[in-house]
Amino acid sequence: MAQSYYEFFCPVKMIAGHKALEHIPFELTAIGVSRPMIITDKGVRQVGLVDHVTNAFDGTDREVAAIFDDVPPDSSLKTVQAAAKAYRDQQCDAILAIGGGSVIDTAKGVNILVSEGGNDLTKYSGAHNLPKKLNPLFVVPTTAGTGSEATMVAVISDTEKETKLPFASYFLMPDAAILDPRMTLTLPPHITAMTAMDAMTHAVESYTCLSANPMSDAYASAAIRKISENLMDVMATPDNAQGRLELAQASTMAGAAFSNAMVGLVHSLGHALGAVCHLPHGLCMNLFLPYVLDYNKSVNGDKIADLLLPLAGADVYANTPQAQRADKAIAHLRQMRDELFERCNLPRTLKETGKVERSQIQQIAEKALDDGSIIYNPKEASLEDLIQVLEGAWE
Amino acid sequence: MKKHNITVGLEKAYVTTMMTIVGRALISASQYDDEVRREIAGMPTGYVLSMTVMPSGPGFTLRAEKDGSLTWLSNDTPADLTIRFKHLEHAFMVFSFQESTSRAFANDRMIADGEVSQAIRLVRCLNKLESIILPKVVAKLAVKRYPEKLAVGEKFSKALRIYAGVTQQIVKGR
Ligand SMILES: [Fe+2]
């Protein structure tokens, strides 16, 4: 690369570790918030995670002014409008999002409406269509995967038009991300595995795709190391609080990396497979990751080779000749997938999902070709290339 | 006039010319190249795409027709997809083939306003166009992967038709 250029932006305050939730009241007070509204979903509330947060307000002079817990698994315009109404009715002045990707995206959408006024979210869709800073938004992730607490994007479904509206703006970056081990402690094994492999993919793609830069590389490699070192421990002992916290941090770091360095073909194929066959995002990431790295290797084998160090540790890295490091890194990821398959049946091939027909490959390839992330993939991919990768991932 | 101003003036003139040539060449390519035509046919009929430089041009605006061809529109036509270079210099780098379109995207040189999937189609069309009309050594720098299947004969005859098409359009002023 002759003349490089990059941008890196991540103004999110990280509040992470033991008793992190108890810092929320102070942080809200510090920026003048008095009536925060919690946005969450019923599942998160039922398992008592919202209580952890509201309890943190006990004995302080702040309180939670409202709780909106009606976020469906796929955030929609209607949900955003309903939550915005609740915010206005209760005269709230900040949002505290507690949940996974859908809750965080919904919260970002709500924040646009309550900050900008009106009820029409569609006019802010697209890139850089917000004129000014929004109201305060704090995020407490309950999965360790999406990384949305550190990104400037949100996707909201328009269920009537059956489209997904993308939003990208610097002002969609949350003000703070609160990572507390209590919030991910009860995540079931297969969700833990899927979301961790989503975070892994964010980090790997940030590091190996076209927009990679020194800042995002630092976040990405640190995230990969944390996931490799902790995922299997957490799978074996789910109540390992420190391991949970490490995964949560890795997810946020990977989010900061990919918000700046973007993602590539694993996501193009994953978005397409998810849409065509209704499979969870993390599952699709875990499935395609090694196949895409194999495909890209001829173009950026040197970057893939770097990954062996954070993936497998210093000894393995030092004992592997440079020429074999890329293959070894991919093999290491395959080995992780095998272990996850043993532990929670996380599929490694299209056939193993039991939800994909071989005849759907053409349709998936066509959809992937139109996916935004394909432009950041280091190696050009034609329809024929995509079909080949998909055929390779069949069994 | 300061030297810098002269450079800016020249770059602006160059980018203005190149915007016209690339826009016109896309129209020609949509007639002579199956791949480009397929990409355009995949866009909604009547989809208006525009490529421009902030704050106020130069640029080109095209409309995707049902059969996969493109037609020229005036730059004040409202577009469904607008790709805006943040600075004249960034457009100059792309149109003098010092930075590929994909790399320019990756480097945040421009903002795509509109449906991302259509922006990607446009980038693929530009890649194909550059592979056809540029000498291979230059094209290899301008695109991620030079199409292995593009035979010299095909490249030459298509390039000729596209150049001829551009000249004709400019002369006729359509
Ligand atoms: Fe992802």
Side-chain angles (χ1 to χ4, degrees):
Chain A
M1 212 186 310
Q3 293 164 317
S4 72
Y5 169 85
Y6 70 88
E7 297 179 2
F8 188 89
F9 179 69
C10 186
V12 184
K13 174 160 185 175
M14 304 296 167
I15 298 166
H18 186 57
K19 300 278 176 197
L21 295 175
E22 281 69 15
H23 282 265
I24 295 174
F26 172 82
E27 292 295 331
L28 290 174
T29 310
I31 55 169
V33 168
S34 55
R35 293 184 63 78
M37 173 167 93
I38 288 177
I39 294 181
T40 186
D41 64 43
K42 294 242 157 47
V44 167
R45 197 168 187 184
Q46 256 156 26
V47 293
L49 295 179
V50 174
D51 295 337
H52 289 317
V53 178
T54 49
N55 290 344
F57 284 80
D58 290 349
T60 72
D61 59 355
R62 300 284 130 154
E63 57 175 9
V64 173
I67 299 179
F68 182 91
D69 67 0
D70 232 356
V71 179
D74 248 329
S75 47
S76 73
L77 284 179
K78 280 213 175 86
T79 311
V80 168
Q81 284 161 352
K85 183 174 185 301
Y87 182 106
R88 288 167 179 148
D89 288 349
Q90 295 299 320
Q91 290 159 341
C92 296
D93 56 3
I95 295 171
L96 200 48
I98 308 173
S102 173
V103 164
I104 301 173
D105 281 7
T106 301
K108 288 178 178 178
V110 175
N111 208 17
I112 295 175
L113 286 188
V114 298
S115 305
E116 286 301 319
N119 256 326
D120 182 12
L121 198 57
T122 56
K123 67 179 177 190
Y124 303 105
S125 170
H128 304 287
N129 285 333
L130 292 172
K132 60 174 193 335
K133 203 177 161 351
L134 305 179
N135 295 351
L137 168 64
F138 282 25
V139 174
V140 187
T142 58
T143 64
T146 67
S148 303
E149 65 278 10
T151 73
M152 48 174 247
V153 296
V155 179
I156 313 275
S157 304
D158 184 338
T159 37
E160 274 165 29
K161 290 190 185 149
E162 286 186 19
T163 55
K164 289 189 170 186
L165 292 171
F167 298 83
S169 163
Y170 300 134
F171 304 125
L172 287 178
M173 279 277 188
D175 295 275
I178 299 97
L179 309 178
D180 188 301
R182 283 171 285 180
M183 300 308 281
T184 49
L185 210 52
T186 51
L187 217 53
H190 70 285
I191 309 269
T192 303
M194 278 195 292
T195 50
M197 289 310 280
D198 185 23
M200 175 69 99
T201 307
H202 294 154
V204 169
E205 292 215 286
S206 301
Y207 195 89
T208 55
C209 286
L210 281 189
S211 280
N213 63 67
M215 303 287 162
S216 63
D217 279 0
Y219 281 89
S221 7
I224 293 170
R225 177 183 296 272
K226 281 194 188 304
I227 298 167
S228 317
E229 287 179 352
N230 293 283
L231 178 54
M232 297 312 161
D233 287 349
V234 169
M235 292 301 289
T237 39
D239 58 355
N240 172 356
Q242 188 56 38
R244 290 283 189 185
L245 180 63
E246 295 294 329
L247 291 182
Q249 291 177 85
S251 165
T252 304
M253 294 168 102
F258 93 83
S259 185
N260 288 282
M262 314 309 278
V263 287
L265 194 52
V266 184
H267 273 79
S268 324
L269 288 168
H271 291 152
L273 175 62
V276 174
C277 302
H278 308 286
L279 289 164
H281 178 70
L283 183 157
C284 302
M285 298 297 103
N286 178 68
L287 199 158
F288 288 126
L289 184 56
Y291 299 104
V292 169
L293 292 177
D294 270 331
Y295 175 77
N296 285 339
K297 203 176 60 182
S298 62
V299 167
N300 68 344
D302 55 331
K303 287 285 273 191
I304 299 173
D306 290 352
L307 299 181
L308 185 61
L309 180 60
L311 277 172
D315 285 347
V316 176
Y317 183 80
N319 289 325
T320 310
Q322 170 64 23
Q324 294 166 22
R325 282 176 186 158
D327 286 325
K328 190 102 179 183
I330 299 172
H332 188 90
L333 286 166
R334 285 183 183 274
Q335 195 190 313
M336 286 181 80
R337 297 186 333 141
D338 291 343
E339 211 172 322
L340 294 175
F341 181 77
E342 294 275 296
R343 288 192 178 279
C344 62
N345 276 320
L346 193 59
R348 295 160 295 183
T349 61
L350 292 170
K351 200 176 169 191
E352 277 177 359
T353 64
K355 293 252 175 73
V356 186
E357 302 283 340
R358 201 158 188 169
S359 57
Q360 289 175 302
I361 283 182
Q362 176 80 23
Q363 194 193 349
I364 298 166
E366 280 168 12
K367 235 186 161 56
L369 199 61
D370 283 342
D371 190 86
S373 48
I374 203 164
I375 201 167
Y376 300 102
N377 197 62
K379 187 170 170 184
E380 186 78 47
S382 65
L383 186 64
E384 293 74 35
D385 295 326
L386 295 182
I387 290 173
Q388 225 171 15
V389 173
L390 286 162
E391 287 289 347
W394 175 251
E395 65 181 333
Chain B
M1 205 194 259
K2 278 193 217 124
K3 192 173 160 224
H4 172 74
N5 293 345
I6 298 174
T7 316
V8 171
L10 285 175
E11 280 187 358
K12 182 148 191 179
Y14 180 83
V15 172
T16 307
T17 310
M18 282 310 285
M19 282 282 191
T20 308
I21 292 180
V22 168
R24 299 285 184 184
L26 276 173
I27 294 179
S28 288
S30 72
Q31 289 158 8
Y32 301 125
D33 186 86
D34 290 343
E35 242 177 274
V36 171
R37 192 168 44 230
R38 232 181 304 134
E39 296 287 4
I40 305 297
M43 293 178 175
T45 303
Y47 199 79
V48 177
L49 31 113
S50 149
M51 204 161 189
T52 184
V53 180
M54 286 176 140
S56 54
F60 62 79
T61 307
L62 305 170
R63 184 176 56 221
E65 307 297 348
K66 198 175 179 181
D67 61 354
S69 66
L70 288 163
T71 45
W72 185 265
L73 298 175
S74 75
N75 276 331
D76 49 19
T77 319
D80 299 299
L81 167 73
T82 308
I83 294 181
R84 285 188 186 86
F85 286 98
K86 291 180 181 171
H87 195 280
L88 182 70
E89 186 69 32
H90 302 147
F92 181 74
M93 284 196 295
V94 167
F95 288 124
S96 55
F97 315 107
Q98 300 174 56
E99 195 165 273
S100 73
T101 321
S102 307
R103 169 52 62 192
F105 253 106
N107 284 3
D108 277 307
R109 307 290 197 191
M110 48 219 201
I111 296 171
D113 205 347
E115 235 177 286
V116 189
S117 58
Q118 312 304 348
I120 286 159
R121 281 175 191 278
L122 180 58
V123 171
R124 274 201 295 266
C125 291
L126 287 167
N127 285 345
K128 186 66 198 287
L129 178 68
E130 289 176 351
S131 309
I132 298 173
I133 64 172
L134 293 175
K136 192 169 174 178
V137 276
V138 182
K140 277 194 154 170
L141 299 174
V143 299
K144 261 196 256 180
R145 179 173 65 187
Y146 190 79
E148 297 115 55
K149 282 181 284 184
L150 191 61
V152 182
E154 184 198 349
K155 178 183 166 74
F156 190 69
S157 72
K158 275 188 185 163
L160 213 63
R161 274 183 285 173
I162 290 169
Y163 282 128
V166 170
T167 321
Q168 214 181 36
Q169 290 176 55
I170 292 175
V171 172
K172 285 190 185 164
R174 288 188 301 195

